[in-house]
Amino acid sequence: SVGYYNITIHVDDTYPTIVKTVGSPNCTINSTTWCVTNSTPIYIDAYDNGCCNNLTIEYAVDGGTYTPITVPYIFNFSSYLDGVHTLSIKAYDCLGHVSYDNETFYVDDSYPAITKIVGDPNVTGSGTPDYWVTTMTPITINASDAGPCSSLYVEISTDGVSWTMITVPYIFHFTEECYHTLYIKAYD
């Protein structure tokens, strides 16, 4: 007589894969460091090509307690102050295969500051216009951003017709007489 015993065994050496996409607005400092606003969406997903049915995904901010999530999941830093934060994501399966994704985020919701200095000759107005100047009057335009992103863009427009990218500090002169409005915008 012959006895048989059959068992089915799933062999799984595959680690979970974490997929994270940083939405807009953002700027990349390097492959693991980003600049974002507190409302920038960070899309988190994970999958396991192995045979375990139970995949657990969790995240933690700044070394805090891990919070379990259901993917796909959208995270943002709306509950955190401006500054440097670390987002840690881990995914693990039923056999204990653990994958990690750790990245640094500079959260920056501060706007760039614009300064302008109207040189001489000029007469300060009281209302409209703000100044009377000549075509020889220099208007020095500058902008700065206290945030961590190194990208600062400044554009100007005369009378809102078309915008021109400038490098600050920049000295502007009106080229023709008449009533004009100088528009300045700065963004990171």
Side-chain angles (χ1 to χ4, degrees), residues 26-28 35 112 145 147-153 187-188:
N26 78 66
C27 65
T28 306
C35 291
D145 187 11
C149 289
S150 60
S151 58
L152 175 63
Y153 304 99
Y187 52 95
D188 57 8

Side-chain angles (χ1 to χ4, degrees), residues 133-135 159 174-180:
V133 298
T134 71
T135 57
D159 301 323
F174 284 102
T175 58
E176 59 184 38
E177 294 182 14
C178 199
Y179 178 81
H180 296 287

